[in-house]
Amino acid sequence: METNPKEELEMFEKEFFNSRTALVVTNGKFNPPTKGHGKMIEHLFLTGQQKAEEGFIPIIIIFTPPKNHYISNNMEFIKKNNNVNTRKKTILSDEERTEYLNDICEEINTQFGFVYKVVPLNFMCGYKSKYKKSVPSLTIVVGSDRHPMCRSTWT
């Protein structure tokens, strides 16, 4: 039986979350993932390292809203402006994007050995408030693939 992303994430949480979990997350299109995204993901893992030094067990989750999230929320714009710039928003399928992000994480994680997960879900749709209540440490890393040095970390 095939599971959907929400069910997969729930199983992941049950397996890995505990009273010492430091959850480090980001949320973005990553469509397609770029070198700048890679730098931001590297920052996620470095933030996880800081949490490990504080005695937590870091868990990294990358949320990337499903492709249909952008299509359904921009349908009027897409119909009105059916051009190259509009199509750029939907370059990769959820599976392709998740696979590329997993490859990036796997390469970076060779230095750290952390548990991580890439999920085609939108972090801002309920997960932020859920995790603020359910894990001892939540850190949100945001940034820009166009300006890799522009990053913020919120705890």
Side-chain angles (χ1 to χ4, degrees), residues 46-98:
L46 289 169
T47 302
Q49 181 64 41
Q50 291 172 343
K51 292 298 179 180
E53 290 167 4
E54 294 171 17
F56 290 101
I57 299 170
I59 301 204
I60 313 295
I61 301 182
I62 298 174
F63 287 87
T64 179
K67 186 168 82 168
N68 65 0
H69 171 83
Y70 297 105
I71 294 172
S72 61
N73 290 345
N74 293 302
M75 205 54 181
E76 190 174 310
F77 176 80
I78 290 171
K79 286 178 183 174
K80 184 177 175 184
N81 301 305
N82 193 7
N83 61 31
V84 173
N85 291 329
T86 302
R87 289 191 298 274
K88 280 177 86 174
K89 292 183 177 184
T90 57
I91 292 172
L92 300 173
S93 70
D94 296 342
E95 294 79 19
E96 290 169 319
R97 202 169 59 253
T98 301

Side-chain angles (χ1 to χ4, degrees), residues 128-142:
K128 179 181 175 188
S129 59
K130 173 186 175 181
Y131 291 143
K132 281 178 101 173
K133 297 174 189 170
S134 66
V135 296
S137 174
L138 171 63
T139 304
I140 304 167
V141 175
V142 295

